[in-house]
Amino acid sequence: MKRALQIVLAVIALIMIYLGVINSMLPPALTGIGFIVILMLFNSHHKIRP
């Protein structure tokens, strides 16, 4: 389930970046970059200690 979520998030991020660059629109491109950052944080294995 986690792997499927990662793949869907990566695909959506790439589509958002592509549409933002092709149409010269900054908000979709920034959202795509944000999705990639979320994906990287989701993949990190660091646990937060209280």
Side-chain angles (χ1 to χ4, degrees):
M1 182 68 177
K2 183 178 177 182
R3 179 56 89 187
L5 178 63
Q6 292 172 342
I7 292 170
V8 169
L9 193 60
V11 169
I12 291 173
L14 293 175
I15 290 171
M16 294 288 286
I17 291 171
Y18 174 76
L19 291 175
V21 169
I22 293 299
N23 295 324
S24 299
M25 295 186 299
L26 189 58
L30 290 177
T31 302
I33 293 170
F35 282 170
I36 290 174
V37 170
I38 291 170
L39 183 61
M40 289 170 39
L41 290 173
F42 191 64
N43 283 333
S44 68
H45 296 283
H46 300 286
K47 294 191 177 189
I48 300 172
R49 294 183 180 176

